[in-house]
């Protein structure tokens, strides 16, 4: 089956350091990138477990033409996934010959490690309690539905809604079919780690967006009001773009740029499914966009989430050898591009607010880029103090770095992330915007169970 061959090719490319999972998935010739990306990520997540089972069962010795990466994908589907898709093609009978032995080796591995569930095999790895404990975050797409309706749908499916979480401990304790409303991000539902919703009808209909909590922060903190003109400078794959559209209520305009035609095509499909109608996509280099172009005269908000090392993404933690830190040369090249993109964005004349974000843990791509931009724009922009109760702040590398936000599986139960909010130093909008981006201080009421009113007794 083409899906399995494509997944094996991506895994081989990652191991050979030809690119990231996401980059290689989008660069592949396989048309449907979402199931491919999901399959690669899950196979990579269980790589150590799969390799142990494959070795113990002697699969590669018995099937000498079966390559290691393809074997890993096929064994994942057989033992840990939902079974072979589309009948499995010629791979189903091949793996069928070894099915009993593979299952026996998986069971033996569980006994050796003292666990009963497949997921528990991850928790005894080299980073227990971190990546494997990140909950499944699901943003309700308010362009198509509302939190109340989504919650009712899940309840009818047998899930138990527990209301709004009050702390990270509530999220950490989630198990089984329980779910919560996030305490900070509006319309963000939280399910136990490893909950798979890729085939859920609400997701397939665009009513739900599978998006990590940290990835929801940039649009939430940019907080453009309906009717605004916004630039999403490096837009694909489009989750943040769809979040911006929901905040705008499809009123206003989003100018979304990306250089990769394939990623833009997938993004256009995703935005259409999400009901986004206020976005103008352009296959263009943001650095080549003129800030003085009249089309952008009304742009007061920019979201800049540029290409980065991805060192904070759980799916990339196995992509680099050793501690997982990108090479010095790669960091230097990425930081140079990020600095140019940020300074270019700050040059738009009507700009009032900008969010800079990365899914990187590296200071070179985060605090250093922010400090460089502030130094190149003295007195014009400052860092907005946002989310004062957020537990993980920027590294103390320059005065005011504490206004930046960091995220990690350990401290915030999310993927690794970095966010900085720039606001123009002069003008009346700064104070009002600072109040607008602290929903933690006044969260919207959580949907509650509806109680029947008692009818008054008839008068006698």
């Amino acid at each position: 089956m083409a899906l399995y061959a494509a997944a094996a090719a991506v895994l081989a490319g990652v191991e050979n350091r030809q690119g990231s999972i996401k980059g290689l998935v989008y660069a592949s010739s396989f048309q449907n990138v979402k199931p491919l990306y999901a399959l690669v990520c899950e196979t990579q997540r269980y790589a150590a477990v799969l390799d142990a089972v494959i070795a113990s069962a002697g699969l590669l010795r018995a099937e000498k033409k079966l390559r290691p990466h393809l074997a890993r994908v096929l064994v994942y589907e057989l033992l840990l996934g939902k079974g072979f898709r589309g009948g499995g093609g010629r791979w189903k009978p091949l793996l069928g010959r070894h099915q009993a032995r593979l299952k026996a080796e998986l069971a033996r591995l569980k006994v050796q490690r003292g666990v009963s569930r497949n997921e528990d095999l991850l928790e005894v790895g080299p980073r227990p309690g971190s990546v494997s404990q990140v909950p499944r975050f699901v943003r309700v797409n308010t362009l198509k539905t509302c939190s109340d309706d989504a919650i009712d749908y899940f309840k009818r499916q047998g899930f138990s809604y527990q209301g709004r979480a009050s702390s990270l401990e509530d999220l950490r304790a989630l198990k089984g079919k329980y779910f919560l409303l996030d305490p900070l991000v509006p319309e963000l539902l939280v399910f136990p780690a490893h909950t798979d919703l890729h085939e859920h009808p609400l997701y397939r209909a665009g009513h739900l967006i599978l998006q990590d909590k940290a990835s929801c922060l940039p649009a939430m903190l940019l907080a453009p009001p309906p009717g605004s003109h916004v630039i999403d400078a490096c837009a694909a794959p489009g989750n943040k773009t769809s979040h911006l559209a929901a905040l705008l209520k499809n009123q206003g305009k989003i100018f979304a740029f990306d250089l990769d035609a394939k990623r833009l095509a997938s993004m256009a499909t995703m935005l259409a499914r999400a009901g986004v109608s206020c976005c103008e996509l352009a296959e263009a280099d943001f650095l080549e966009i003129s800030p003085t172009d009249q089309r952008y005269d009304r742009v007061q908000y920019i979201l800049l989430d540029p290409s980065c090392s991805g060192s904070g993404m759980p799916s990339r933690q196995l992509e680099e050898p050793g501690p997982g830190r990108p090479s010095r040369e790669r960091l230097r090249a990425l930081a140079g591009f990020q600095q140019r993109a940020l300074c270019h964005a700050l040059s738009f004349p009507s700009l009032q607010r900008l969010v800079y974000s990365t899914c990187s843990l590296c200071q070179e791509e985060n605090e250093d880029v922010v400090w460089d931009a502030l130094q190149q724009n003295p007195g014009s922009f400052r860092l907005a103090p946002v989310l004062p109760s957020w537990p993980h702040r920027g590294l103390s590398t320059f005065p005011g770095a504490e206004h930046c936000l960091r995220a990690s599986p350990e401290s915030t139960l999310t993927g690794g992330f970095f966010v900085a909010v720039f606001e123009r130093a002069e003008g009346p909008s700064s104070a009002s915007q600072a109040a607008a981006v602290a929903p933690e201080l006044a969260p919207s009421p959580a949907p509650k169970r509806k109680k029947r009113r008692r009818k008054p007794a008839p008068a006698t």
Side-chain angles (χ1 to χ4, degrees), residues 229-308:
H229 282 205
V230 184
I231 283 178
D232 191 349
C234 303
N239 281 348
K240 298 180 187 69
T241 316
S242 69
H243 196 181
L244 288 172
L247 294 172
L248 291 174
K249 301 179 181 178
N250 263 341
Q251 301 169 25
K253 174 74 78 172
I254 300 173
F255 300 98
F257 303 101
D258 204 276
L259 269 174
D260 193 308
K262 281 189 176 181
R263 284 163 60 90
L264 273 180
S266 297
M267 178 177 170
T269 302
M270 177 265 188
L271 294 181
R273 186 173 66 248
V276 174
S277 60
C278 64
C279 184
E280 181 181 300
L281 293 177
E283 183 185 342
D285 183 350
F286 173 63
L287 289 173
E288 300 295 326
I289 303 302
S290 172
T292 59
D293 190 316
Q294 291 184 352
R295 286 180 294 177
Y296 314 120
D297 283 349
R298 294 175 54 192
V299 170
Q300 293 184 307
Y301 302 89
I302 293 181
L303 193 157
L304 175 60
D305 188 79
S307 298
C308 70

Side-chain angles (χ1 to χ4, degrees), residues 8-23:
V10 171
L11 290 171
V14 169
E15 188 171 299
N16 293 327
R17 303 184 69 179
Q18 295 172 358
S20 67
I21 288 179
K22 185 171 289 186

Side-chain angles (χ1 to χ4, degrees), residues 53-94:
V53 170
I54 290 169
S56 299
L59 178 62
L60 296 179
R61 291 194 302 272
E63 302 291 345
K64 298 187 184 301
K65 293 184 178 181
L66 184 62
R67 308 310 301 162
H69 296 101
L70 180 57
R72 197 182 290 171
V73 172
L74 296 174
V75 173
Y76 170 82
E77 283 285 78
L78 177 68
L79 300 182
L80 307 175
K82 296 182 178 180
F84 289 108
R85 310 175 204 199
R90 63 191 179 98
W91 302 117
K92 186 175 181 178
L94 186 149

Side-chain angles (χ1 to χ4, degrees), residues 12 22 46 52 82 105 179 236 244 325 338 374 388 393-394 399 444 455:
K22 185 171 289 186
Y46 280 95
K82 296 182 178 180
E105 292 301 333
F179 73 109
L244 288 172
R325 183 176 173 82
Q338 293 153 355
L374 289 171
R393 317 303 297 191
S444 58
K455 293 182 179 180

Side-chain angles (χ1 to χ4, degrees), residues 31-339:
Q31 293 298 314
N32 197 349
V33 297
K34 287 188 177 178
L36 175 60
Y37 182 73
L39 177 59
V40 171
C41 288
E42 287 301 294
T43 303
Q44 184 79 314
R45 194 158 65 97
Y46 280 95
V49 174
L50 295 168
D51 288 347
V53 170
I54 290 169
S56 299
L59 178 62
L60 296 179
R61 291 194 302 272
E63 302 291 345
K64 298 187 184 301
K65 293 184 178 181
L66 184 62
R67 308 310 301 162
H69 296 101
L70 180 57
R72 197 182 290 171
V73 172
L74 296 174
V75 173
Y76 170 82
E77 283 285 78
L78 177 68
L79 300 182
L80 307 175
K82 296 182 178 180
F84 289 108
R85 310 175 204 199
R90 63 191 179 98
W91 302 117
K92 186 175 181 178
L94 186 149
L95 266 291
R97 295 197 292 269
H98 305 276
Q99 182 172 348
R101 182 67 183 272
L102 289 166
K103 286 185 174 181
E105 292 301 333
L106 178 62
R108 184 179 301 175
L109 188 63
K110 289 179 181 177
V111 172
Q112 289 174 350
R113 298 188 180 181
V115 300
S116 58
R117 302 182 308 158
N118 294 332
E119 305 89 76
D120 295 333
L121 291 169
L122 297 172
E123 297 174 11
V124 296
R127 290 184 296 273
S130 57
V131 173
S132 64
Q133 292 303 301
V134 174
R136 163 64 72 187
F137 293 100
V138 181
R139 180 169 59 81
V140 176
N141 178 16
T142 54
L143 294 177
K144 284 202 160 185
T145 187
C146 63
S147 295
D148 284 354
D149 288 350
I151 288 168
D152 285 344
Y153 192 102
F154 279 109
K155 287 164 67 175
R156 290 196 300 272
Q157 289 189 315
F159 287 85
S160 179
Y161 175 57
Q162 303 297 294
R164 185 185 294 277
S166 59
S167 67
L168 286 180
E169 291 308 312
D170 291 343
L171 306 187
R172 190 175 280 113
L174 275 175
K175 290 183 179 179
K177 300 198 79 172
Y178 291 93
F179 73 109
L180 293 158
L181 193 63
D182 187 75
L184 174 64
V185 180
E187 288 86 39
L188 191 66
L189 305 179
V190 192
F191 293 81
H194 315 310
T195 302
D196 187 3
L197 297 173
H198 285 89
E199 300 300 323
H200 194 278
L202 291 185
Y203 168 70
R204 295 172 69 90
H207 292 224
L208 301 178
I209 308 294
L210 305 184
Q211 186 173 2
D212 185 70
K213 177 177 178 175
S215 178
C216 294
L217 295 179
M220 185 189 84
L221 294 174
L222 190 62
S228 302
H229 282 205
V230 184
I231 283 178
D232 191 349
C234 303
N239 281 348
K240 298 180 187 69
T241 316
S242 69
H243 196 181
L244 288 172
L247 294 172
L248 291 174
K249 301 179 181 178
N250 263 341
Q251 301 169 25
K253 174 74 78 172
I254 300 173
F255 300 98
F257 303 101
D258 204 276
L259 269 174
D260 193 308
K262 281 189 176 181
R263 284 163 60 90
L264 273 180
S266 297
M267 178 177 170
T269 302
M270 177 265 188
L271 294 181
R273 186 173 66 248
V276 174
S277 60
C278 64
C279 184
E280 181 181 300
L281 293 177
E283 183 185 342
D285 183 350
F286 173 63
L287 289 173
E288 300 295 326
I289 303 302
S290 172
T292 59
D293 190 316
Q294 291 184 352
R295 286 180 294 177
Y296 314 120
D297 283 349
R298 294 175 54 192
V299 170
Q300 293 184 307
Y301 302 89
I302 293 181
L303 193 157
L304 175 60
D305 188 79
S307 298
C308 70
S309 65
S311 55
M313 294 176 64
S315 62
R316 294 194 190 180
Q317 291 190 358
L318 297 177
E319 294 180 16
E320 295 283 346
R325 183 176 173 82
S327 67
R328 185 176 301 176
E329 294 75 16
R330 176 164 162 74
L331 278 179
R332 188 182 299 116
L334 286 167
F337 164 72
Q338 293 153 355
Q339 289 165 352

Side-chain angles (χ1 to χ4, degrees), residues 307-372:
S307 298
C308 70
S309 65
S311 55
M313 294 176 64
S315 62
R316 294 194 190 180
Q317 291 190 358
L318 297 177
E319 294 180 16
E320 295 283 346
R325 183 176 173 82
S327 67
R328 185 176 301 176
E329 294 75 16
R330 176 164 162 74
L331 278 179
R332 188 182 299 116
L334 286 167
F337 164 72
Q338 293 153 355
Q339 289 165 352
R340 292 193 301 275
L342 180 52
C343 288
H344 182 66
L346 292 174
S347 69
F348 280 71
S350 299
L351 180 67
Q352 292 296 318
R353 193 172 187 83
L354 178 146
V355 169
Y356 173 79
S357 62
T358 74
C359 52
S360 169
L361 303 176
C362 302
Q363 174 187 325
E364 294 90 337
E365 299 179 90
N366 297 329
E367 288 86 358
D368 290 357
V369 171
V370 168
W371 179 231
D372 178 79

